[in-house]
Amino acid sequence: NAGVTQTPKFQVLKTGQSMTLQCAQDMNHEYMSWYRQDPGMGLRLIHYSVGAGITDQGEVPNGYNVSRSTTEDFPLRLLSAAPSQTSVYFCASHEADRAFFGQGTRLTVV
Amino acid sequence: QQQVKQSPQSLIVQKGGIPIINCAYENTAFDYFPWYQQFPGKGPALLIAIRPDVSEKKEGRFTISFNKSAKQFSLHIMDSQPGDSATYFCAANTGKLIFGQGTTLQVKP
């Protein structure tokens, strides 16, 4: 039982490049979410999904896309990376009110 | 606009002290108030949580105090230890889990 697995752990992108942050969970949870963590800003909700085929926007959705084709996977896409997207990204899988977080992806956009 | 406001941003206490972290919220629809603990290089992990029909919850050395009328809640760590040094986040949930800004706690030996 691996819990929530995020890949990659580290990534450097050039401005304008695109990439997908992967997130997979093996707990059969319907609810999954993506957060970004920045100093002094805490964890801010980007997008979330209450089940396969259903996604919705969080507090800071601009510049990010998500899809949920399976219960297990919830990838986060950056279509055209900007320096403002430099951050640590966390994926979470939720059981009732409890969130289980992955180890995070540290993304730097230069 | 931050829906959950947390203070202080950082806190230093001596071993055995009682650090207190405060949070305030505006949305009365929030119905679940958890605290998460995060160690460097790791994801946050649930520490303790409370629902608004209860004014206090204690789990080991960690206590949440909840004031529904003031829309405030706080985390108290009794007999703090160096191993408690971490970043603490309050949060509030109503379908979406919204976090505060975080507090970095250092407990000196």
Side-chain angles (χ1 to χ4, degrees), chain B residues 34-67:
Chain B
W35 286 87
Y36 282 76
Q37 180 188 53
Q38 183 184 34
F39 293 104
K42 303 292 186 182
L46 180 65
L47 183 64
I48 186 174
I50 197 169
R51 295 202 182 274
D53 55 346
V54 177
S55 61
E56 182 176 282
K57 184 172 182 180
K58 187 177 296 186
E59 288 185 3
R61 295 184 294 106
F62 299 92
T63 299
I64 301 178
S65 297
F66 188 85
N67 186 329

Side-chain angles (χ1 to χ4, degrees), chain B residues 10-21 37-40 47 61-62 75-88 103-109:
Chain B
S10 63
L11 193 52
I12 301 174
V13 299
Q14 293 293 132
K15 177 183 175 182
I18 306 176
I20 300 172
I21 305 171
Q37 180 188 53
Q38 183 184 34
F39 293 104
L47 183 64
R61 295 184 294 106
F62 299 92
L75 176 71
H76 301 233
I77 305 176
M78 310 302 288
D79 187 27
S80 58
Q81 301 297 312
D84 296 329
S85 298
T87 299
Y88 293 81
T103 297
T104 300
L105 171 67
Q106 181 183 358
V107 181
K108 291 189 171 182

